[in-house]
Amino acid sequence: MIAETMTATLAGTTPLLAGRTVILTGAGGGIGRAIAHALAAAGARVALTDLRQEPLDALAGQLADGQILARAIDASDPAAFAAFHDETAAALGPVDGLVNCAGTFEKRAFDELDAAAWARSLTANLLTTVAGCQAVLPGMIARGCGAVVNVASTAGEYGSISPASHYAAAKGGVIGLTKSLAREAAPAQVRVNAVSPGPVETDGLLAVTPEQKAIAGSRTLFGRLGQPEEIAGACIFLLCPLSTFVTGHVLRVNGGALL
Ligand SMILES: NC(=O)c1ccc[n+]([C@@H]2O[C@H](COP(=O)([O-])OP(=O)(O)OC[C@H]3O[C@@H](n4cnc5c(N)ncnc54)[C@H](O)[C@@H]3O)[C@@H](O)[C@H]2O)c1
């Protein structure tokens, strides 16, 4: 069965995520929008969420074919996420996939980080991922299938190059969470992986001028910034039948920035 599904997927007989329902957080951001387009192109039914409804509605309009749900929630709120999961399942069918892409990056030296800054970073980067996993994993485990992709960062693997220890700690937490949940969910054939982007050309990178972008891009072996679509491609791989033996993995999509 695995071999047949993989052959059909490679042959393009069926779209990579045909018939799957996938929840995406941070859908209104630079990488999130690219993932939303990729999910729809791969044939998934997509449930989009972010903090504000307006950008989600605009994005849903670009993807429209009746298989899209867009609802603003604070993804760090477990009750709100659970309700969004239930709404998604009712509208689009049982949830087969989750991409936790919500996050925030703020440059600040350790001695300037107060409790509020720590709370902001841990909430946006780690607790959104926790709430998403709490909402979807019980159903996936009960049905014996499903895949979760958590968006980490090179900062979580190697420490942050710009001063942002609160961000690095939160993303390191995402990686530890990913590997632990991969162990707990594997008996049910549910997979939990992470994508770890290097510098990607979005507003979230906080590199605004051409000089700032060039410096960030120069840290990769290709000498350029990554594009959001290049992160989206890795997410699709980790959700689709081509990666059924991959779990607990941190897929580096960083242009060789850190080997
Ligand atoms: N751009 C990069 O260079 C880069 C590098 C490594 C990792 N990442 C990670 O990739 C992900 C996307 O980054 P991006 O560059 O697209 O940033 P972005 O700022 O464009 O998008 C992040 C989105 O997350 C949303 N969000 C934040 N907190 C939320 C919450 N509590 N509930 C719901 N939504 C929330 C924001 O509203 C925003 O739309 C983030 O997790 C980021 O840490 C980005």
Side-chain angles (χ1 to χ4, degrees):
M1 184 64 182
I2 287 176
E4 286 155 16
T5 307
M6 204 163 282
T7 302
T9 304
L10 286 167
T13 317
T14 53
L16 288 172
L17 297 176
R20 310 277 178 104
T21 297
V22 181
I23 291 178
L24 168 65
T25 74
I31 293 174
R33 286 193 300 274
I35 296 173
H37 280 278
L39 289 169
R45 297 184 285 255
V46 194
L48 308 167
T49 189
D50 204 304
L51 289 170
R52 291 178 47 236
Q53 187 68 39
E54 205 177 284
L56 290 178
D57 288 339
L59 178 61
Q62 294 166 13
L63 308 177
D65 69 348
Q67 299 288 291
I68 310 293
L69 175 70
R71 179 80 60 234
I73 62 164
D74 180 338
S76 68
D77 177 345
F81 213 126
F84 179 57
H85 167 270
D86 293 349
E87 183 185 6
T88 300
L92 303 179
V95 177
D96 310 290
L98 166 68
V99 182
N100 283 309
C101 185
T104 187
F105 176 69
E106 178 189 24
K107 279 184 199 171
R108 213 187 275 202
F110 182 66
D111 60 3
E112 294 169 4
L113 286 174
D114 56 16
W118 275 99
R120 267 198 310 279
S121 185
L122 292 172
T123 298
N125 293 298
L126 180 57
L127 294 185
T128 54
T129 308
V130 172
C133 291
Q134 282 175 329
V136 306
L137 281 175
M140 289 181 178
I141 288 170
R143 289 190 306 282
C145 66
V148 173
V149 179
N150 297 324
V151 179
S153 168
T154 47
E157 296 182 86
Y158 307 97
S160 184
I161 294 173
S162 306
S165 55
H166 57 336
Y167 177 74
K171 290 299 190 179
V174 168
I175 291 171
L177 179 75
T178 300
K179 294 184 179 185
S180 303
L181 295 183
R183 294 179 195 277
E184 292 192 36
Q189 309 304 312
V190 173
R191 301 181 299 109
V192 185
N193 289 290
V195 166
S196 181
V200 180
E201 192 162 7
T202 70
D203 293 346
L205 180 64
L206 300 185
V208 179
T209 66
E211 293 74 24
Q212 289 169 330
K213 289 183 180 181
I215 291 169
S218 71
R219 299 194 180 110
T220 75
L221 294 182
F222 297 127
R224 67 167 175 86
L225 293 175
Q227 294 303 305
E229 291 73 17
E230 294 175 295
I231 308 305
C235 294
I236 299 297
F237 168 70
L238 290 172
L239 290 171
C240 87
L242 296 178
S243 61
T244 44
F245 208 44
V246 181
T247 197
H249 186 65
V250 180
L251 180 52
R252 294 175 186 157
V253 189
N254 63 21
L258 292 158
L259 297 175

